Amino acid sequence: MRFFVDTADVDQIRKANDMGVICGVTTNPSLIAKSGRQFEDVIKEITSIVDGAISGEVKATTTDAEGMIKEGREIAKIHPNMVVKIPTTIEGLKATKVLSSEGIKTNLTLIFNANQALLAARAGATYVSPFLGRLDDISQNGLDLISDIKEIFDMAGDIDTQIICASVRNPIHVLECAKMGADIATVPYNVFEQMMKHPLTDQGIAKFQADYKAVFGE
């Protein structure tokens, strides 16, 4: 399983990229708004940092296929690595069909059931983004959704659409998604930090340092 970082904070993107573990970035209207910057300015800076897929979403207020297609084409022009992020609606499927036929990569977002993922794949989506954490928030097991989508895609045999585990909240989500065979997890930077933490690692480093200093000094 590969990793994207899920943020529009360029400082966090630089840190994740310096770790050598990410191969792409996902953003959404809320993350862009949180950055307080213009969409295109943020995206252009991200493309200068990460050499990989960069998801930029159509405007949250654009709900018709024609509008999504128009915006999607503009997003795709920003950089060759751009992926157009589209909400999983009927209008979104229409837009996906057109954009994918033009060779523009798409990421169908806000997926909460396997039927949505299957329809998105058949419409030509490059990626589907099922949201684990938000299902957990309403007492549904988000990991079950990943399992269902993976099983359906594998059974179909002719689906190239990749599964991006989104709305990842903790290292357990990451581990379980990897075990299920998901293609990608898009992970907030703080979860990357959590994945690296273990008390025995910290204790081991402290002991090695103490033993070294006891013999060789500082």
Side-chain angles (χ1 to χ4, degrees):
M1 187 175 72
R2 291 167 288 139
F3 292 109
F4 292 169
V5 62
D6 189 35
T7 183
D9 185 322
V10 294
D11 290 334
Q12 291 185 345
I13 292 169
R14 289 184 194 279
K15 291 178 183 178
N17 190 60
D18 288 346
M19 288 169 62
V21 298
I22 65 168
C23 60
V25 179
T26 54
T27 67
N28 62 45
S30 296
L31 292 173
I32 295 290
K34 187 177 179 180
S35 76
R37 301 172 60 195
Q38 292 298 312
F39 171 82
E40 192 161 333
D41 292 340
V42 175
I43 294 298
K44 284 183 176 179
E45 186 168 0
I46 292 172
T47 61
S48 73
I49 301 168
V50 178
D51 183 17
I54 312 295
S55 284
E57 192 160 347
V58 298
K59 291 177 184 175
T61 52
T62 302
T63 58
D64 63 296
E66 184 178 351
M68 293 180 196
I69 293 166
K70 181 179 179 182
E71 290 181 22
R73 288 169 177 158
E74 291 303 310
I75 291 170
K77 290 178 183 177
I78 296 173
H79 192 276
N81 289 343
M82 291 306 300
V83 177
V84 180
K85 206 170 183 183
I86 298 172
T88 307
T89 62
I90 290 175
E91 293 298 297
L93 294 180
K94 294 177 184 177
T96 299
K97 176 186 175 183
V98 172
L99 293 172
S100 63
S101 71
E102 296 175 1
I104 295 173
K105 293 180 179 181
T106 56
N107 177 0
L108 272 286
T109 189
L110 292 170
I111 287 177
F112 292 100
N113 67 51
N115 285 331
Q116 291 175 320
L118 180 57
L119 290 173
R122 291 307 185 194
T126 311
Y127 306 98
V128 291
S129 290
F131 278 41
L132 288 75
R134 295 195 194 185
L135 284 172
D136 288 353
D137 290 344
I138 61 169
S139 300
Q140 293 185 21
N141 189 337
L143 289 167
D144 286 346
L145 175 57
I146 304 300
S147 178
D148 287 346
I149 296 171
K150 177 63 177 170
E151 180 180 357
I152 289 169
F153 282 16
D154 286 349
M155 288 291 292
D158 62 347
I159 292 177
D160 296 324
T161 303
Q162 297 182 55
I163 301 169
I164 301 177
C165 299
S167 189
V168 168
R169 301 285 176 80
N170 54 62
I172 295 173
H173 278 165
V174 177
L175 177 62
E176 293 302 319
C177 286
K179 288 163 64 176
M180 290 175 189
D183 300 288
I184 299 158
T186 186
V187 181
Y189 181 74
N190 70 297
V191 175
F192 282 123
E193 291 183 318
Q194 292 169 13
M195 290 168 65
M196 285 300 297
K197 290 184 180 297
H198 196 284
L200 293 180
T201 301
D202 295 338
Q203 291 172 24
I205 291 171
K207 185 177 189 308
F208 289 159
Q209 290 177 341
D211 290 346
Y212 182 90
K213 291 175 182 179
V215 176
F216 301 107
E218 295 291 339

